[in-house]
Amino acid sequence: MTIYFLGGGNMAEAIAGGLVRQGGYQIHIVNRGAEKRERLAKSLGVAVSEKLPALNAEDILVLAVKPQDMQAACAGVETNGALVLSVAAGLSVNTLSSYLNDTRRIIRTMPNTPGRVGLGVSGLFAADGASDADKQAAEEVMSAIGQVVWLEDEAQIHAITGITGSGPAYVFYLMNALQEAALAQGFDNETARQLSLATFKGAVGLAEQGGEDFIVLQQNVTSKGGTTFAALETFKERKVAQAIGAGVDACVARSKEIAQQFEGGK
């Protein structure tokens, strides 16, 4: 079995890199750019080529090109029964199937950027042509870059895009806000960054270790009338939580709009 990557972008490199670190996989990356192929071959030690070789039924084809380039990239591709794993946002099973001679042995996944350091989370949805063995194979591939969550309905891809797919950007937004607040309090740039980064890292570590609800952890460091209480009351007045929820809603709605564009507005 060989795991082929159609496209050598950041996510393909992250997944392939995770698989290389685990060991035991034959990996082949297909990319049009010669310079990129040379770099991937050197950094990952994997096979590379400009064109996709002939596939076998036991192979896995990871579709990792940009959604707008997918149809052209799939032109002439014969899956020959291989399992197709797509990381392309906005392209439904039906759309992908139409690009690949109606194969239904497809699993869609929505990973996120922390997968580049092995701390990602990926939502997976299996089409009706994928077997339990296919699901296990896809889970093994995506587990190379972090956690895996299975989705029962393809529409949930939009929801997980709004939570984990785009979620790291929300965290970086808040990290930057705390850094800016530290600067406003007189700290220099390096210290302000360090304070924000350490605060988020420590809070996540504490939450993982204890397993308590986030609201309980919040209450544990909040004394009524105290300093933390003053900050949280301000957040409530400014409706920060509602704003985050509205942002997630907007992300999910945009994900649905993009999917409709690829499906011809259907």
Side-chain angles (χ1 to χ4, degrees), residues 72-182:
C74 289
V77 171
E78 295 290 343
T79 63
N80 296 323
L83 171 62
V84 176
L85 180 60
S86 173
V87 299
L91 297 180
S92 69
V93 166
N94 287 339
T95 297
L96 293 168
S97 180
S98 70
Y99 293 168
L100 294 167
N101 296 319
D102 299 325
T103 181
R104 301 292 294 184
R105 196 181 175 198
I106 297 173
I107 294 178
R108 290 185 63 189
T109 179
M110 171 54 65
N112 63 3
T113 53
R116 288 158 56 182
V117 293
L119 295 173
V121 58
S122 302
L124 279 75
F125 171 77
D128 48 14
S131 66
D132 288 341
D134 291 336
K135 292 177 66 175
Q136 182 178 349
E139 184 166 333
E140 288 179 3
V141 171
M142 298 312 297
S143 291
I145 59 169
Q147 301 179 47
V148 168
V149 176
W150 282 99
L151 310 176
E152 296 181 1
D153 190 304
E154 188 173 10
Q156 289 179 297
I157 288 283
H158 301 300
I160 206 157
T161 297
I163 301 297
T164 60
S166 298
Y170 314 156
V171 177
F172 297 144
Y173 182 91
L174 295 173
M175 291 174 72
N176 184 69
L178 190 58
Q179 178 178 305
E180 291 293 325

Side-chain angles (χ1 to χ4, degrees), residues 45-56:
V46 300
V48 297
S49 65
E50 183 178 3
K51 294 184 179 180
L52 184 68
L55 301 175
N56 296 312

Side-chain angles (χ1 to χ4, degrees), residues 10 33 37 45-46 60 65 75 84 102 123 125 138 147 149 156-157 168 170 197 199 208 236 244 253 258 261 263:
N10 291 335
R37 291 198 305 272
V46 300
I60 297 176
V65 300
V84 176
D102 299 325
F125 171 77
Q147 301 179 47
V149 176
Q156 289 179 297
I157 288 283
Y170 314 156
L197 186 61
T199 300
E208 287 183 331
K236 290 177 182 178
I244 292 173
I258 293 172
Q261 290 173 7
E263 293 172 8

Side-chain angles (χ1 to χ4, degrees), residues 15-38:
I15 299 170
L19 292 168
V20 168
R21 286 190 295 273
Q22 286 188 357
Y25 297 96
Q26 285 188 306
I27 299 168
H28 187 125
I29 300 178
V30 179
N31 196 77
R32 289 181 299 178
E35 185 177 338
K36 185 64 174 289
R37 291 198 305 272
E38 183 179 350

Side-chain angles (χ1 to χ4, degrees), residues 215 217-238 240:
I215 191 66
L217 291 168
Q218 175 188 308
Q219 292 168 349
N220 288 345
V221 294
T222 306
S223 301
K224 189 171 179 61
T227 55
T228 306
F229 179 84
L232 293 176
E233 285 299 297
T234 301
F235 295 159
K236 290 177 182 178
E237 291 172 6
R238 302 293 178 88
V240 173

